Structure formats: C-alpha cells, structure tokens
C-alpha cells in the first residue's frame, strides 16, 4: 500500500522536521502550533502545559493574543481546558461558549471563536497538558481531525517528558512531571528508604515516534500481533491451565482483546498517519486507558490492568525484549514500586541495592511484606503510585509512618536524612539492650524468638539477641529455588540453620505452600479462593512425597540434637495424626539407614484456623506444643483478607473478641500442660505485644528487627498491673471497649515506649 502524505500523515511529517530542527524550545513550540493550525485549517491552536502547582499555563498559541503566552492560565478542572486535563478526555464542541464549563479569559481574545476541539497530552494515563484548536464558524471537527490532534498531543507529551519545556517555565514552578507528591497509606515494614524508583513492571518507553515507511511498520505490527496471539494460546493450552479459574479467564480476555478488530484497526490507522508501530500501540493504549478510567464499572476498571499488560506484551514483542520483571541495571539505591507482587518476585532483586518497596495493594501480613520485613526492607503502601512515577524518580518510603514522598522537595529530603540518623541512634540503643535479660519491670521472664526463612536471616540471631527461632518458614527456600530442592540440598540448608542457632531452639514449620505462596515449578491449580484452598498440610497430606522428603531432610539434619517441627493450617486433629504417622515412619527409616536420630523430636501445631478453637483439648493431647499463627487466625476469624489493603485497618486484632479467643488458647495450654507460643506479626509491635503478654503469652516470635523495640517496651512494663486492667476490659462490653486505647493510655501514663 502506498500511503500518500496528506492530512494527519503530512502533519506528522512536518512535526518531525520541526522536532529535529536545532532551535530553542519556545520557537519549536511556536512552530508546532502554527503547523497544527494550518493542517487542521483552524484559526487558533494553543498549547497549555500543566504546572506542578496544578495550574495549566498557556505555553504557545497561534491565533490568540500572543501577549497572553505564559500569562494566561486556568486551574485543573477550571474552564474547558481544565476540564479536559482533569478528565483526561477530549472535548469537541460546535459552540464552546454555551458549554457549562466555559470560562472567559479576556486577555486571550478568544470570545470570537465558536468551535473548539481540545485533547489531553497524555503519558501513562496522566494529563501533562492540553492542546486546543478553535474556529470562528460553528463547525464540528471530524474524526480525522481528532486523530491528527491526538497524534500531535502525543508528540507534545514527548516534548514535556523529555524535559524540554522546563526551560520555559518562568514562574519558578516546575511542570507536573516534576511535582512532589506525598501519599499516605499503610505502614507495612519499619524503616526509611531513600532512593530512586524502579518500576517492577517497567513501562516500555517509546521514543521513536515517526515512521519512515508505513508499509514496513504495518507489517511489523502484524507480526508482533501474531506473536502475541501465539504466546497467549500457548499459555492457555499449557497443562496447568487445564482447570477453569480466574487466571484462565484473564487469558481468555487477553485473547479476545488481541483479536479485537477495532483495536487493530485503530493501531493501523495511527501507523498510516505516520507513527511507528510502537508509538501506535502506545497511542491507542493511551486512549483506551482514558476511556476506561472514566468508567464507573469496577469490573471494567479492573480489566484495564489486563489490557495494560497486553499492550506491554505487544510492545515487548515489537521491541524484542523478554517479558517479566527487569531486574538488571537497577540503581544502587532502588525503591521498587509495584501494584502488587509475590514474595518470590521480591527475592529476584539484588538485596544489596534494594532500599525499599512501595506497593499499591498489600497489607502488613501479605507474604511479600513479611519477606521484606524479614530482610529489613522498609515497605510503604501508596494507592495509585505506579502511574504517577517514572523510573529513576527520587522517592522516599517511610515504612514506619506509612508515608511515601515521590520527587521530594529538598527540605523534605533533608528532614528524612535527619530521621534516618535518629533511627540509627535508636538502633544503637536497641543493640545495647541485646544482652540484657528480657524480663518485665516486675520480674516476669518473656521468651523473645525471631521468625526466619532464609540464610540471610541467620546473622540476625546474634545481632538481635533472639532466644532462638520460633518460626522457620521453610517454604521461602522453596520459593526462591528454580526447581524443587532435592533431599541433599534441603538437608544441607537445615543443617546450616541449626549450626547457626547453636544451643538456641529452632522451630521448623513444614512446607506452607499454596494460598499466596506459589512455587513456580510446581503445577499449581487455579483456585477461586486460594487462601481457603488446597494449601499447607492439606496439600502435604495429598502429595505425601513432598512432605516425606522434607521430613527425611530435617531428621537427618537434626541428627543427635533436638528437632522441633510444626504443622501449618491444621484444621482437624486427624491431620496431626497423619503427619505424626508419617514422621514416625520416616524417623524409623532414617535410623535404619544408619543416621543417628535427633535427641528429641517435638511435633507442634500452628493454630491458624478458627475450627481448632473448639478442639483445643483434643489438639493439645496430640502435640508437644502449639503456636498461634495470628496472621491467618485473624484473617479467618474476622473474615478479612490479609492481603487486601482495603481491609488493612478495618478490624483491629487488639480487640476484645480476638484477645478473648487467644486467651482461650493460653488457658487450654495451662489446662493441658502444653507450651503455647505465638508467631504472627502482632508479636512484633510493642502495643499488640503488650496485649499478648497481658493475656498470658510468655513466648512470642517476631521479625528480628522488632526484638529491640519489644524488649525496650517490656523492660519498663509492670505486667501484673496491665494484666489486671486487661482482664477487666475483656470482661466488659466488647462493643464499648477500645482495648488498644486502654493499653496505649496505660503505656503513656507509665512512660512505656511503644
Ligand atoms: C501466621 O499465619 O500468623 C503465620 C505466622 O504464618 P504465615 O504468616 O507464614 O502465614
Ligand atoms: Mg499462616
């Protein structure tokens, strides 16, 4: 097909020439508006750029009063231009002045123009400005003109993103792309990280906008689409997709979209008009994004994420880049920003250069957050952050107070540098506590254990002064492995852990896979509700091979010393019997083949499923100890998804009902002479830890970084007095009793740090 250079194509050709000219930014902008006006036979063409203070400033005009340039402005949402920028949607009006949003700017002399077409200059779903054409006569701009103006807007956004227009900013206020943004969200993992944004799913930045040969670009797009369709079909027909499930639904949607004629036609058109295939994908996706952002249907808005992913895949096909997280070339002070991510994906990053993590959707008990906390990485939560930042932007994550500063101003940064120094001093104070006994002011001993799961955690045993490891999450090792770890590898790893612990106890939790802990190399079944699904001990009982190898490795590694094991997600006591039978059998085999057995084998159960609360005596008669997994127990008791940020602060575990439930476990432990521990995240926060000690817990396990603050709290705590207060509160009306407030009031009155 020979494509004649007319209409939009001719305009793009000219724009390209202007972009290449060695001229200053104002002159370039002036030439661009002249070109657009001439091409669209408009009397006026104006460009407004969005400043960091939310004001749209007239940067160039052909047709309006030239004196108004850099003088005339509108606020975001004000007038037609402000409305276009705020809604990120075009406006095409025959009679602009009768539109309710019309605002009269006398200095521009625009009152004589009747028809109006304005389109947003978009980047990653955000408006960076607006470009407008106007005519005196009442005319409706046709599809081709809208298309031409949208393409021009794309070129203008590129100019803004490249920083060229910054030089024109006369008011000392930068353009919107440089605007500092502060987002408050949940505080997920303590600490402060200062660094630069690394987008977990990097946007493919299209910089080559203009095509040399439309036919070739059409062909490239066709090939890339074919490649994309094949890869989706391949994913759909892979064995692990055999079951219906959400994953499959998403892929079906992808397939439908990849075959959508309208989508392909719009991209073809953009190429015919002069864009490269990459720029055409970007342009059409930009329009999709704005169309779908405006929809109120949450399902469709959710699907936008899928479409974004599809467009990204298509761009990667075109640019020949492999898919998946790009973890290479990250800066030395990376703050990874993502909508959401699995724990294993976090572990793909080089720990040495990782300063922090910011997630849109996560809570304190999401596994990725638990892993980050174990690694001492500050984590913050910030809604909508991904589309507001660019790779390389400066960013600060304050995981202690739940604040994220994107592109922070100098004084904010200085304040944080000071805060980091202060925290380092605090860490020194905690370190000084390390070798002190963990005894309350009134002489009650509390065992402080740490949670672990990776070899990087082990040095923390000495550094934190933990009494031992109360929860060793064995699945983490499996999650970072490329393939299922073999018996010898597992044995070696468990030996290393035991050696590092020396005389200190280590409680290994049997594999807790399933739910949100997916092993990439195991065929996982797509489940409707994975947290309530085929996971942990349920999976282990049905696939005994996996558990057998793990038990054998642990028994061999603990030869001659104590072995403590616990079962995750126990729901019925019968499951303990099954594990116990398998353990006895494996112990017999290990001994038979010549390895001396452990000096003692203790089998415990986690209490994570509410069902167990009504079979505590039966459970305790079967196990050597129990450990409350308060993350899951609370999620199931409150029917509140631990990974859903909308639920993060809705229900408080430091509440009368939850503490009554936990106390019933402590009481059952006393009745049955069974040691009771707790290893959820609430043990690591001084305030909730106070509640746990008050209801009778004497052994808790937490992230290593929490041991200092919890010890600092308990050494100044009169526990008998707090117990009396909490007993009273637990007997009172649950609906009227704010247990958290009662405890914090007590702590304030007694100068207890929390
Ligand atoms: C828990 O559920 O409280 C627990 C400790 O286990 P995990 O967080 O690994 O699910
Ligand atoms: Mg759990």
């Amino acid at each position: 097909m020979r494509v004649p250079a007319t209409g939009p194509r001719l305009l793009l050709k000219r724009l390209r020439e202007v972009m290449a000219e060695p001229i200053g930014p104002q002159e370039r902008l002036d030439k661009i508006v002249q070109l657009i006006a001439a091409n669209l036979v408009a009397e006026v063409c104006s460009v407004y750029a969005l400043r960091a203070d939310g004001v749209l400033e007239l940067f160039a005009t052909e047709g309006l009063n030239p004196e108004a340039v850099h003088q005339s402005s509108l606020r975001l949402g004000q007038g037609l231009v402000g409305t276009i920028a705020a809604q990120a949607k075009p406006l095409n009006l025959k009679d602009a002045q009768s539109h309710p949003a019309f605002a009269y700017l006398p200095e521009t002399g625009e009152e004589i123009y009747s028809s109006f077409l304005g389109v947003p200059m978009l980047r990653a779903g955000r408006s960076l400005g607006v470009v407008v054409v106007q005519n005196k006569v009442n005319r409706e701009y046709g599809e081709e003109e809208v298309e031409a103006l949208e393409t021009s807007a794309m070129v203008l956004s590129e100019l803004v993103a490249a920083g060229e227009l910054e030089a024109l900013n006369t008011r000392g206020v930068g353009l919107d792309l440089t605007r500092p943004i502060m987002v408050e969200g949940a505080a997920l993992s303590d600490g402060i990280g200062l660094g630069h944004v690394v987008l977990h799913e990097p946007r493919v930045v299209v910089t080559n906008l203009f095509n040399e040969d439309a036919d070739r670009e059409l062909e490239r797009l066709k090939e890339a689409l074919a490649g994309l369709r094949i890869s989706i079909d391949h994913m759909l027909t892979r064995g692990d997709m055999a079951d219906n499930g959400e994953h499959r639904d998403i892929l079906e949607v992808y397939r439908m979209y990849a075959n959508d004629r309208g989508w392909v036609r719009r991209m073809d058109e953009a190429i015919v008009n002069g864009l490269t295939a990459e720029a055409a994908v970007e342009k059409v996706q930009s329009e999709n994004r704005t169309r779908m952002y405006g929809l109120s249907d949450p399902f469709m808005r959710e699907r936008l994420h899928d479409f974004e992913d599809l467009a990204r895949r298509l761009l990667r096909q075109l640019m020949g880049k492999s898919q998946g997280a790009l973890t290479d070339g990250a800066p030395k002070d990376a703050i990874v920003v993502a909508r959401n991510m699995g724990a294993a994906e976090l572990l793909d990053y080089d720990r040495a250069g990782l300063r922090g993590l910011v997630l849109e959707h996560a809570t304190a008990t999401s596994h990725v957050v638990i892993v980050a906390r174990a690694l001492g990485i500050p984590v913050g939560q910030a809604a909508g952050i991904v589309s507001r930042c660019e790779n390389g932007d400066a960013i600060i994550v304050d995981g202690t107070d739940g604040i994220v500063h994107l592109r922070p101003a100098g004084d904010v940064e200085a304040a944080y540098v000071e805060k980091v120094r202060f925290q380092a001093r605090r860490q020194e104070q905690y370190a000084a506590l390390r070798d002190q006994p963990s005894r309350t002011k009134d002489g009650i001993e509390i065992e402080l254990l740490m949670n672990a799961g990776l070899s990087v955690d082990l040095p923390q045993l000495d550094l934190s002064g933990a009494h031992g490891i109360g929860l060793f999450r064995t699945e983490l090792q499996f999650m970072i492995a490329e393939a299922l770890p073999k018996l010898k590898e597992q044995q070696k790893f468990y030996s290393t852990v035991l050696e590092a612990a020396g005389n200190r106890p280590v409680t290994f939790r049997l594999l807790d896979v399933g739910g949100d802990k997916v092993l990439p190399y195991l065929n996982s079944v797509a489940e409707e509700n994975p947290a309530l699904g085929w996971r942990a001990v349920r999976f282990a009982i049905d696939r005994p091979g996996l558990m057998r190898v793990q038990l054998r490795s642990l028994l061999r590694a603990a030869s001659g010393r104590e072995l403590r094991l616990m079962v995750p997600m126990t729901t019925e006591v019968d499951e303990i019997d099954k594990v116990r039978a398998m353990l006895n059998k494996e112990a017999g085999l290990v001994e038979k083949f010549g390895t001396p057995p452990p000096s003692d084998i203790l089998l415990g159960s986690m209490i994570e499923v509410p069902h167990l609360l009504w079979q505590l005596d039966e459970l305790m008669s079967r196990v050597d100890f129990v450990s409350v997994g308060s993350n899951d127990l609370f999620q199931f008791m409150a029917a509140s998804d631990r990974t859903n940020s909308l639920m993060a602060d809705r229900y408080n575990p430091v509440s009368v009902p939850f503490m009554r439930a936990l106390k019933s476990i402590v009481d059952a432990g006393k009745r049955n002479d069974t040691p009771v521990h707790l290893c959820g995240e609430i043990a690591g926060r001084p305030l909730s830890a106070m509640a746990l000690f008050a209801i009778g817990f004497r052994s808790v396990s937490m992230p290593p970084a929490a041991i200092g603050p919890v010890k600092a709290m308990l050494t100044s705590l009169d526990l008998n007095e707090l117990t009396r207060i909490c007993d009273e509160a637990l007997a009172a009306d649950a609906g009227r009793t704010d247990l958290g407030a009662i405890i914090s009031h007590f702590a304030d009155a007694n100068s207890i740090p929390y």
Side-chain angles (χ1 to χ4, degrees):
M1 168 168 63
R2 269 276 1 110
V3 185
T6 58
R9 184 166 176 79
L10 181 66
L11 173 59
L12 209 58
K13 187 164 171 276
R14 293 274 151 78
L15 284 175
R16 174 193 200 165
E17 287 158 9
V18 174
M19 293 290 274
E21 277 183 45
I23 50 179
Q26 186 67 54
E27 198 180 345
R28 196 184 318 282
L29 213 47
D30 291 344
K31 282 196 169 186
I32 290 176
V33 289
Q34 284 161 16
L35 267 178
I36 298 174
N39 187 276
L40 271 72
V41 200
E43 282 128 344
V44 173
C45 176
S46 315
V47 170
Y48 297 81
L50 181 60
R51 290 195 323 228
D53 55 359
V55 169
L56 287 145
E57 177 179 317
L58 181 64
F59 261 56
T61 185
E62 166 68 12
L64 296 185
N65 178 7
E67 304 278 295
V69 172
H70 296 301
Q71 301 302 324
S72 198
S73 61
L74 288 149
R75 281 192 319 279
L76 203 59
Q78 186 196 10
L80 299 176
V81 167
T83 305
I84 294 167
Q87 298 183 348
K89 269 204 252 175
L91 272 181
N92 185 355
L93 307 169
K94 249 193 207 164
D95 178 11
Q97 287 166 40
S98 66
H99 191 281
F102 180 81
Y104 177 50
L105 297 178
E107 70 278 15
T108 61
E110 66 175 333
E111 63 279 11
I112 53 173
Y113 300 103
S114 178
S115 45
F116 174 106
L117 170 65
V119 304
M121 289 150 49
L122 297 171
R123 189 173 167 89
R126 270 190 303 153
S127 300
L128 302 181
V130 174
V131 51
V132 174
V133 290
Q134 290 170 280
N135 280 86
K136 283 186 192 146
V137 290
N138 265 11
R139 71 179 265 207
E140 178 135 23
Y141 298 94
E143 234 180 74
E144 196 173 89
E145 283 148 324
V146 177
E147 173 79 25
L149 199 59
E150 279 176 347
T151 309
S152 311
M154 193 168 171
V155 175
L156 286 161
S157 319
E158 199 46 48
L159 214 58
V160 176
E164 186 160 346
L165 301 194
E166 287 297 336
L168 303 181
N169 128 53
T170 50
R171 314 248 145 174
V173 188
L175 292 181
D176 190 53
L177 267 180
T178 61
R179 181 159 65 101
I181 292 173
M182 183 186 108
V183 189
E184 282 183 78
L188 299 179
S189 168
D190 272 359
I192 291 166
L194 289 95
H196 292 90
V197 170
V198 171
L199 283 166
H200 179 56
E201 293 181 329
R203 274 193 285 283
V204 183
V205 181
V206 179
T207 45
N208 187 11
L209 298 181
F210 309 104
N211 75 37
E212 303 282 350
D213 176 351
D215 288 343
R216 214 185 110 241
E217 293 301 302
L218 287 168
E219 194 52 38
R220 284 185 63 228
L221 179 66
K222 204 164 139 197
E223 277 169 22
L225 276 164
L228 178 71
R229 288 176 192 133
I230 290 170
S231 74
I232 295 172
D233 286 347
H234 180 70
M235 283 190 271
L236 270 163
T237 48
R238 250 191 2 218
D240 51 344
M241 284 294 134
D243 294 275
N244 277 341
E246 202 187 352
H247 200 117
R248 194 184 170 87
D249 289 349
I250 291 172
L251 287 174
E252 292 282 8
V253 171
Y254 280 14
R255 176 150 75 177
M256 219 170 68
Y257 195 55
N259 285 295
D260 181 307
R261 290 228 198 96
W263 186 49
V264 178
R265 182 180 46 75
R266 282 158 57 213
M267 290 190 291
D268 281 350
E269 264 170 27
I271 293 178
V272 170
N273 288 337
L275 292 181
T276 56
E278 289 88 344
V281 176
E282 179 67 29
K283 173 175 180 289
V284 171
Q285 183 52 19
S286 221
E287 289 157 19
N288 280 342
R289 206 179 275 140
T290 26
R291 263 208 339 255
M292 296 180 72
Y293 264 142
L295 297 177
S296 52
D297 180 352
F299 176 78
M300 285 314 289
R301 285 229 303 271
E302 198 45 39
R303 287 281 87 88
L304 174 62
H305 182 48
D306 306 339
F307 298 153
E308 295 273 17
D309 189 34
L310 195 72
R312 200 165 40 234
R313 281 168 195 265
L314 185 56
L315 282 175
R316 295 226 170 111
Q317 287 272 355
L318 280 165
M319 296 170 134
K321 287 195 184 140
S322 65
Q323 285 160 21
L326 302 181
T327 50
D328 299 338
K332 295 261 166 298
D333 56 356
I335 308 263
V336 173
V337 177
R339 290 200 166 81
N340 205 344
M341 89 165 62
E345 289 173 287
L346 176 67
L347 297 168
D348 282 343
Y349 287 91
D350 174 14
R351 173 70 194 91
L354 192 56
R355 293 286 143 81
L357 177 65
V358 179
L359 299 169
E360 289 194 354
H361 306 286
T363 70
T365 53
S366 304
H367 278 110
V368 61
V369 175
I370 289 175
V371 171
R373 208 176 293 135
L375 295 172
I377 300 169
V379 187
Q381 183 252 332
I385 187 89
V386 170
S387 67
R388 300 164 86 175
C389 62
E390 302 273 340
N391 260 335
D393 277 349
I395 187 168
I396 297 172
V397 47
D398 178 347
T400 310
D401 288 333
I403 295 174
V404 173
H405 289 276
L406 183 61
R407 301 180 287 266
D411 51 347
V412 171
E413 190 169 329
Y416 271 95
V417 169
E418 187 44 46
K419 205 165 164 183
V420 168
R421 267 198 217 116
F422 175 76
Q423 289 203 337
R425 279 200 295 276
R426 197 123 143 240
Q427 286 306 328
E428 279 166 24
Q429 288 162 6
Y430 293 146
L433 276 178
R434 190 179 55 200
D435 301 320
Q436 310 240 333
S438 73
R439 193 181 297 135
T440 62
K441 207 165 93 183
D442 49 346
I444 301 170
E445 300 281 345
I446 309 274
E447 186 178 46
L448 299 181
L449 301 156
M450 66 172 237
N451 298 342
L454 296 169
S455 31
V456 292
D457 296 329
L458 300 176
Q460 291 296 332
L461 262 169
D462 291 332
L463 296 173
S464 68
H467 293 122
I469 299 178
L471 165 65
F472 195 90
R473 293 183 164 101
T474 59
E475 64 278 1
L476 295 189
Q477 191 61 22
F478 283 67
M479 284 161 74
I480 60 170
E482 296 286 325
L484 197 66
K486 301 217 167 59
L487 181 112
K488 280 264 157 58
E489 289 167 65
Q490 289 188 44
Q491 181 183 336
K492 188 159 165 249
F493 178 59
Y494 301 140
S495 299
T496 318
V497 176
L498 288 168
E499 262 161 42
N503 293 328
R504 291 166 288 205
V506 179
T507 301
F508 290 99
R509 174 171 73 185
L510 295 177
L511 267 186
D512 185 10
V513 291
D516 62 341
K517 298 177 208 173
V518 179
L519 300 186
Y521 43 82
L522 267 197
N523 269 1
S524 55
V525 181
E527 294 179 84
E528 200 71 35
N529 293 301
L532 308 178
W534 194 41
R535 53 176 292 199
V537 69
R538 305 165 183 183
F539 180 82
I541 288 173
D542 296 351
R543 291 270 176 92
L546 210 60
M547 176 150 66
R548 223 176 276 140
V549 174
Q550 190 181 30
L551 289 172
R552 206 172 301 162
S553 316
L554 285 161
L555 286 158
R556 288 205 206 176
S559 171
R561 56 170 292 166
E562 180 188 79
L563 175 62
R564 297 173 60 87
L565 297 175
M566 67 179 170
V567 180
M569 285 290 290
T570 312
T571 307
E572 294 181 336
V573 293
D574 170 53
E575 289 158 344
I576 294 294
D577 294 338
K578 291 195 171 116
V579 176
R580 169 88 67 191
M582 230 188 286
L583 176 63
N584 288 343
K585 190 165 161 210
E586 285 306 319
L589 284 173
V590 166
E591 211 179 331
K592 192 169 146 198
F593 285 103
T595 309
S599 58
D600 201 3
I601 303 177
L602 300 173
L603 180 66
S605 172
M606 291 195 74
I607 300 187
E608 301 181 280
V609 181
H611 206 223
L612 275 188
L613 298 182
W614 290 272
Q615 27 180 345
L616 288 171
D617 293 330
E618 293 88 335
L619 177 72
M620 289 181 182
S621 72
R622 284 167 166 85
V623 293
D624 302 302
F625 63 94
V626 296
S627 186
V628 178
S630 55
N631 303 333
D632 276 317
L633 185 60
F634 187 69
Q635 118 161 309
F636 297 131
M637 276 190 59
S640 173
D641 182 352
R642 65 190 266 187
T643 65
N644 182 343
S645 49
L646 293 174
M647 289 296 114
D649 297 320
R650 193 172 183 100
Y651 304 109
N652 185 357
V654 185
S655 65
V656 170
F658 194 54
M659 289 301 146
R660 280 179 187 160
L662 294 190
K663 191 162 189 304
S664 75
I665 302 173
V666 174
D667 293 344
K670 287 188 189 137
R671 212 163 49 233
N672 290 280
D673 209 10
T674 303
V676 175
H677 313 267
L678 184 141
C679 58
E681 302 306 301
I682 58 169
R685 288 190 286 272
L687 185 101
S688 43
M690 263 186 270
L692 296 176
F693 301 153
I695 59 170
F697 282 92
R698 295 293 177 263
S699 168
V700 287
S701 192
M702 63 195 77
I707 290 191
V710 170
K711 201 188 249 188
M713 171 275 284
L714 71 83
T715 48
S716 43
L717 171 68
D718 182 341
L719 184 53
N720 281 309
E721 176 62 8
L722 180 66
T723 303
R724 198 186 51 70
I725 294 171
C726 284
D727 278 350
E728 244 172 54
L730 292 196
D733 181 327
R736 293 208 197 127
T737 311
D738 184 343
L739 189 60
I742 292 173
I743 297 176
S744 55
H745 183 256
F746 171 81
D748 290 338
N750 292 281
S751 310
I752 299 168
Y754 67 97

